[in-house]
Amino acid sequence: MTPTSIPSTHAPAPVGIVHLGLGAFHRAHQAVYLERNLARHDGGPWGIASANLRSNRQLVELMRKRDQRYHVAEYTDSDTLTLREIAAIRETLYAGPGGEDLEALLARMSEPGVRIVTLTVTEKGYHLDPADGRLLLDAEPIRHDITNPTQPRTAPGMLVEALARRFTAGTPAFTVLCCDNMPDNGKRTRRAVVELARRRDEKLAEWIADAVAFPSSMVDRIVPAMSEAEFERLRTLGIDDPAAVACESFSQWVIEEDFPQGRPDWQHDGVQMVADVAPFEAMKLRMLNGSHSLLAYLGALAGIETVAEAVGRPEFAALLRGYMRREAAPTLAMPADIDLEAYADRLIARFANDSLHHRLQQIAMDGSQKLPQRWLAGAQVRLEVGGEIACTALGVAAWIRYTAGSNLAGESHSVDDPMADTFAALHANHDKPEPLIAAFLALDSVFPSELADDARFSNAVLDAYSTLTEGGVGEALTILDAPTR
């Protein structure tokens, strides 16, 4: 393989954007769009300061040692690779446990030149109830931020403190741009920030509600966790970069147009600026992310390790096609120029990209936070019109079985989820399918009561669970052709 290399050549740029969540996705997605923007202008006012809030001080230290430069390896397939050098990030900070950069981060967010704050902190980083979107005021990190507002630990708390400083100083508010996989992510972020601010100062909360823009956005790029094998593959190509990121070549960013203090002209760099992001959010969550979760739980139970390996099996590809076309697509109301059949076909092709080694265990993380928007909202829409939910019910059943901490062959795996202890207790206390399914569906922080109380849904999940545990994944996949009672 001879990769195409694109070095960074633009002039240094002052910081105009602060990003919370210095992870692989941010470095392979938002930072790449800003790199293109800075290259096109040979600099400009939109350099990025990125911070980690919960963990991974090592990455911050690596970035600093490399003068904030790193590489993104974009794979079209195993034979076609583009290597990009990224220098859009001008500063990295660590504000997690034991971190010394919290004050530097808050001071940076308070600067008048910072006009946008973006976030990729995962769904659980907002401390919102997955079912109804309310701020979890009893969560320990939120309680800490209510008691210690000037020393926040959460992303909402840091936004409130930085905005409070700007409010006191008379500095215009920055725009808050959520880039996490949540429906109405701008509105949900707004709710978290305003509710937390209200516990501190009603006038501050009113100012945030009136003055701060929270546009929604949809982000899409498959970015697997880096492995030593991937680092070695890059070293064979001459790239010895411990901060490198590998991803697919496809990338999409759709943003709601609402930036009172200005924004990059990134529409010329591939960003889609629209009046309403909601249709694109729903499309991606239900079709791409919903399909990923189906592969994650069913594939893991079958002992499969990667997305490409799973979708390479005809029965799994058929599962995804059936789910996307019969259960996800009918719930979507898209602009006339969006072809959902073509979108589904393209997703299958992207999943089959065997150069990425996207592990199912990575996708399976935090299911309690993800499933309400990936599966459950769509299932409610389908049931309202008497539609099919067989694939979704099978996915829910597989997730419940996955949370037991082992696959169907008895091989153990970790359950990385904020509710992992709750799941373990439910499995320990219920050894029969019917009471176990009932106990899981009673988790109102995951399952809306309207759905959990619908006998069509609970019966479909119970049937799927029984088939899955008694007959295995192969037999359970035949549920695609069975009616939902």
Side-chain angles (χ1 to χ4, degrees), residues 312-331:
R313 300 190 182 187
E315 64 272 25
F316 279 92
L319 168 70
L320 297 193
R321 290 191 178 94
Y323 164 73
M324 285 192 279
R325 290 170 178 164
R326 297 199 298 268
E327 298 185 29
T331 70

Side-chain angles (χ1 to χ4, degrees), residues 147-188:
T147 306
N148 306 276
T150 63
Q151 295 292 310
R153 294 177 181 171
T154 70
M158 293 177 190
L159 290 169
V160 170
E161 170 60 13
L163 287 166
R165 295 185 183 192
R166 295 175 83 110
F167 177 58
T168 300
T171 304
F174 48 66
T175 294
V176 178
L177 179 60
C178 175
C179 300
D180 280 300
N181 287 320
M182 302 186 293
D184 296 320
N185 56 14
K187 293 178 182 177
R188 287 190 175 220

Side-chain angles (χ1 to χ4, degrees), residues 89-399:
I89 297 176
R90 307 301 303 159
E91 177 183 39
T92 49
L93 301 163
Y94 179 68
E100 63 286 342
D101 294 334
L102 175 60
E103 178 54 37
L105 173 60
L106 294 170
R108 177 66 85 179
M109 294 168 70
S110 304
E111 293 177 354
V114 169
R115 290 180 275 170
I116 301 171
V117 174
T118 57
L119 301 93
T120 51
V121 295
T122 75
E123 297 91 336
K124 66 185 176 185
Y126 298 85
H127 300 279
L128 297 170
D129 187 296
D132 63 16
R134 63 182 174 82
L135 184 65
L136 297 173
L137 295 171
D138 291 334
E140 190 282 326
I142 294 296
R143 292 202 310 270
H144 171 275
D145 286 3
I146 292 172
T147 306
N148 306 276
T150 63
Q151 295 292 310
R153 294 177 181 171
T154 70
M158 293 177 190
L159 290 169
V160 170
E161 170 60 13
L163 287 166
R165 295 185 183 192
R166 295 175 83 110
F167 177 58
T168 300
T171 304
F174 48 66
T175 294
V176 178
L177 179 60
C178 175
C179 300
D180 280 300
N181 287 320
M182 302 186 293
D184 296 320
N185 56 14
K187 293 178 182 177
R188 287 190 175 220
T189 306
R190 182 182 189 274
R191 181 172 181 178
V193 173
V194 171
E195 284 190 26
L196 186 56
R198 189 163 284 126
R199 298 308 187 278
R200 175 174 180 170
D201 183 323
E202 186 63 37
K203 288 186 177 179
L204 172 62
E206 291 177 1
W207 179 75
I208 292 174
D210 292 340
V212 181
F214 291 86
S216 289
S217 75
M218 184 272 267
V219 297
D220 187 3
R221 181 169 242 186
I222 296 173
V223 186
M226 290 292 286
S227 65
E228 180 53 39
E230 181 58 42
F231 284 120
E232 179 58 32
R233 178 161 60 163
L234 292 179
R235 282 193 287 268
T236 65
L237 298 173
I239 302 296
D240 188 4
D241 181 356
V245 185
C247 60
E248 65 175 334
S249 59
F250 176 88
S251 184
Q252 186 177 21
W253 197 4
V254 186
I255 304 177
E256 185 176 277
E257 183 65 272
D258 188 13
F259 291 82
Q261 302 305 316
R263 61 167 177 81
D265 59 345
W266 47 30
Q267 70 274 16
H268 301 300
D269 307 302
V271 177
Q272 296 169 254
M273 302 301 303
V274 300
D276 184 10
V277 171
F280 297 92
E281 285 179 333
M283 178 182 72
K284 195 246 181 171
L285 282 165
R286 295 178 190 173
M287 294 189 72
L288 188 155
N289 297 123
S291 294
H292 258 169
S293 289
L294 279 175
L295 291 179
Y297 301 118
L298 285 160
L301 291 181
I304 299 172
E305 292 190 2
T306 69
V307 170
E309 181 186 352
V311 82
R313 300 190 182 187
E315 64 272 25
F316 279 92
L319 168 70
L320 297 193
R321 290 191 178 94
Y323 164 73
M324 285 192 279
R325 290 170 178 164
R326 297 199 298 268
E327 298 185 29
T331 70
L332 303 173
M334 301 303 298
D337 62 340
I338 300 298
D339 183 339
L340 291 177
E341 282 283 332
Y343 183 71
D345 290 341
R346 185 167 190 179
L347 287 180
I348 296 290
R350 290 169 61 193
F351 294 164
N353 186 343
D354 62 359
S355 65
L356 295 178
H357 309 294
H358 196 185
R359 296 182 65 247
L360 297 180
Q361 186 75 356
Q362 179 187 354
I363 300 168
M365 294 171 54
D366 300 333
S368 67
Q369 312 296 298
K370 297 173 178 177
L371 300 195
Q373 48 266 27
R374 295 186 177 196
W375 289 342
L376 306 185
Q380 286 183 272
V381 174
R382 294 299 287 148
L383 288 173
E384 288 173 2
V385 298
E388 185 177 342
I389 59 162
C391 299
T392 301
L394 177 57
V396 172
W399 170 70

